[in-house]
Amino acid sequence: MPHPPDHHALRAAAIHRLYTLEQTKRLTRNRITGVADAFGVDPRTVDRWLANARANHGTYQPAGRTSFLLTPDMLDAVARWRGNATAAWKELRAEGHPVPSLATFHRATNRALTPGMRAGLRAGEKARRRLDVAGERERHHRNYAWETDHVEASVKVRVEGHIRKPWITFFVDCATSAICGLAVSPQRPSREGVLVAIRDAILIDEHHGPFGGIPTYVRVDGGKEFLCRTVTDALGVLGTEIIALPPFTPEGKGNVEAVNGAIKKTLFASMPGYTHAPTLRGGNPIDPDQPLLHFEAFVEQVLDWVHYWNHENTPKSLNGQTPRQAWDADPALVDTVTAGDLHTYTLERHGKPLTINNSGVRWRKRNYIADWMHGRVGEKVDLRYLPHHNHRVELYDPHSGRYLGAAVMARQATREQALSLKQARRREADRLRAQLQKAERNRNERFAAATRPAPPVPLDALPEEEALEHLRTLDGFTPAAEALPDLIKLPEPDAALTRPLAPRATPPSTPPAQPEEQP
């Protein structure tokens, strides 16, 4: 019968109980036999245990078994041979050190060194960490904490005529395991790639929903692109705290590490150009002439996989729910920010300034339009964009860096955006017509008023009211912005927002009163 794990403590307690019964003259042979059966020994063995307790004033103190322990020199020998106890034993024996048998030396080595330490001596720190125990954090609620990391795609793709392995930056919500945002870079990502992924993760609209918002914490590793001033300032503006984990601690961000491992096994392994595919003798690939994916096709497949992960995958940690179901079931409020407020983030920048033409801004064989472009044909602009979301671009002044506004793809412009474009064109035409009419009026020669007969005198100076109005116009003064609310005529109320009152009943007509006769 196998002993329980704490049989030494139970044995001491049982023998102390027998010793107490013996002192009170209540000890019987049946009690001794019952203890012997419980521990699977002969009753005479229990008699010896009881005799040991009598000799130690009622406390059972068995004699410990002597075991061989490694000396510091022996431990150094095991470390020199990278955990090989047999080689260390042979070296010590050849040098004349007093060593026990090989089996005893192996048992002593196993007692002195844990399995993790022995694995570390054989293969280093990475092998030792595989035998560590990692705790489990509380999930809290959605957007309480995010985790981010880079993963190098083990796939070769074609990027502008070159063969490279792209990198992916993920932002994963810890409570729901949902991928809130990502950015795919043809090369190792820098702070620009991190900011693009942050923007993609925070925004919630028809192109970025439903996952996103402003997180309370973001856990990052020690990568300098995550801890640079640009990224910390961008998250600091939103009130998000960055938690920098110690280097080489993947267990600190287990959610994003699970995403990295899953995409390697379920997506990269099925792509052409997979770098860990089986090879022939000599390391030659099985199909050296297989066609590689272009970068655009690779990004499209990554986005499809992300949609599968968020809407179809059921991680064990979510108890059979998909990340979308867990996100929708979470009652925590989501703090959002608009795309207009996020345009200050560093987006991907087009290489050289582009020119505004009659069709808008031409980029990647597409035209981008906006209502503020009227009258600016021929001007240069800097274009910045969010990768994988080419429906909208941000335009800046190339000289001062001033933000000009957003532009949308002409083919994807909504009805409201097209109407705004036409209204802006009419406003520009009306403004020009007003300027021309004003200039025409000022062109007519004006004469001063006279009180005596005299030839007309040309009036070079403007009247006081017109001079003040002219100066205010030069300073950018608008009376509507400075006037009090009751001095500006309010627009007519919308007919859809008004409700006519019911007509009152007309009182019976009475004859008008006759005016009194005036004297």
Side-chain angles (χ1 to χ4, degrees), residues 153-204:
S154 49
V155 176
K156 295 179 179 180
V157 300
R158 295 189 179 275
V159 181
E160 299 295 335
H162 302 278
I163 298 178
R164 297 180 180 179
K165 292 196 294 183
W167 287 72
I168 307 175
T169 304
F170 286 115
F171 276 86
V172 180
D173 179 64
C174 298
T176 62
S177 298
I179 301 176
C180 297
L182 76 156
V184 186
S185 305
Q187 63 284 332
R188 184 175 181 85
S190 59
R191 62 178 182 272
E192 286 81 9
V194 176
L195 289 171
V196 169
I198 291 175
R199 178 185 174 93
D200 186 49
I202 291 177
L203 288 179
I204 299 179

Side-chain angles (χ1 to χ4, degrees), residues 72-91:
D73 293 338
M74 294 178 182
L75 286 174
D76 293 341
V78 174
R80 283 197 305 272
W81 285 98
R82 305 186 186 280
N84 190 337
T86 302
W89 178 82
K90 290 181 179 179
E91 177 186 300

Side-chain angles (χ1 to χ4, degrees), residues 63-79:
R65 178 180 297 179
T66 58
S67 58
F68 177 75
L69 300 177
L70 295 183
T71 64
D73 293 338
M74 294 178 182
L75 286 174
D76 293 341
V78 174

